[in-house]
Amino acid sequence: GNSVTQMEGPVTLSEEAFLTINCTYTATGYPSLFWYVQYPGEGLQLLLKATKADDKGSNKGFEATYRKETTSFHLEKGSVQVSDSAVYFCALSVGNSGGYQKVTFGTGTKLQVIP
Amino acid sequence: DAGITQSPRYKITETGRQVTLMCHQTWSHSYMFWYRQDLGHGLRLIYYSAAADITDKGEVPDGYVVSRSKTENFPLTLESATRSQTSVYFCASSERIGWGYTFGSGTRLTVV
């Protein structure tokens, strides 16, 4: 089956520090990869995505590169802000025989940025 | 306002009661989904719908019923609420497969 493994949180960083949140996956087929962010009391928001190997998704200073050889999609940001404090979810989607692309989410990594 | 809205935002209900959570989207996205989010379990898919009148079960459908008579609405009904259904419920929609989801703000349901 498909699975997504994220690094355990919480991750606590000082403002302007470099962020890496690791994400690895296993999938049958060729998945699309996503990062979602969830701020307190809100739903998940799509942060970035990549649909094929070596693609780099980017948004709001966050980046992640689809690495097929290492089955990874690590999230990075060069300089975090307090406003980046949230829970980050890695996810993949793969088509199935019924035409529906099942999405598998990781368990989430909580990021806390302190001033 | 454009977007995906869920109601109510918070709900407390008693064991055994029927409760319906509403989800409405303004984009006419074909795909809609219901997830529940629980500590230790992450996000789990309850039901999904590929179009009006087309629905299918996800990972944890027992105790839930959905309908989709109109593209924009996808209500989730708990037929006889149990304490194990205490959770935060998220509705999501997607225009196309593989494009990513847009989530609503969630309904926090407590069953007492």
Side-chain angles (χ1 to χ4, degrees):
Chain A
N2 303 326
S3 67
V4 175
T5 302
Q6 293 182 231
M7 61 188 290
E8 290 286 329
V11 173
T12 302
L13 294 173
S14 297
E15 207 165 20
E16 298 183 3
F18 186 87
L19 169 71
T20 300
I21 299 178
N22 291 335
C23 171
T24 57
Y25 67 89
T26 58
T28 52
Y30 203 143
S32 296
L33 302 174
F34 306 85
W35 276 101
Y36 287 85
V37 58
Q38 184 178 30
Y39 299 101
E42 298 182 13
L44 280 71
Q45 301 175 27
L46 180 63
L47 182 59
L48 53 86
K49 68 175 183 180
T51 58
K52 60 183 188 295
D54 299 325
D55 267 2
K56 178 184 283 189
S58 62
N59 186 24
K60 299 181 181 179
F62 291 90
E63 293 182 340
T65 301
Y66 190 143
R67 300 289 188 199
K68 194 167 186 287
E69 64 277 10
T70 55
T71 62
S72 65
F73 193 55
H74 305 322
L75 182 68
E76 297 182 335
K77 186 176 185 183
S79 176
V80 294
Q81 305 300 313
V82 172
S83 57
D84 294 326
S85 298
V87 181
Y88 293 81
F89 292 88
C90 185
L92 66 83
S93 70
V94 182
N96 67 12
S97 58
Y100 162 66
Q101 285 212 353
K102 176 179 168 59
V103 176
T104 301
F105 288 90
T107 53
T109 302
K110 185 174 183 178
L111 170 67
Q112 183 179 16
V113 180
I114 54 178
Chain B
D1 289 339
I4 184 165
T5 54
Q6 292 184 237
S7 61
R9 194 70 198 273
Y10 302 93
K11 176 74 176 178
I12 300 174
T13 192
E14 295 178 338
T15 301
R17 289 196 180 268
Q18 183 181 82
V19 60
T20 296
L21 310 184
M22 304 301 293
C23 178
H24 174 79
Q25 51 113 345
T26 59
W27 298 297
S28 298
H29 285 173
S30 295
Y31 298 90
M32 296 188 76
F33 310 87
W34 275 106
Y35 284 86
R36 59 179 290 176
Q37 186 177 33
D38 305 285
L39 279 174
H41 291 281
L43 283 157
R44 292 181 289 176
L45 181 65
I46 304 171
Y47 269 95
Y48 65 96
S49 170
D53 297 322
I54 300 175
T55 62
D56 207 348
K57 297 177 181 178
E59 303 169 62
V60 289
D62 293 343
Y64 302 95
V65 174
V66 294
S67 62
R68 195 165 175 209
S69 57
K70 293 183 178 181
T71 300
E72 61 267 29
N73 296 324
F74 191 39
L76 176 73
T77 298
L78 287 66
E79 295 181 294
S80 178
T82 65
R83 289 196 179 89
S84 66
Q85 293 177 310
T86 293
S87 185
V88 180
Y89 291 85
F90 288 102
C91 179
S93 72
S94 179
E95 182 175 2
R96 294 186 186 183
I97 291 298
W99 278 31
Y101 293 174
T102 302
F103 282 82
S105 298
T107 295
R108 182 175 293 277
L109 176 68
T110 302
V111 183
V112 298

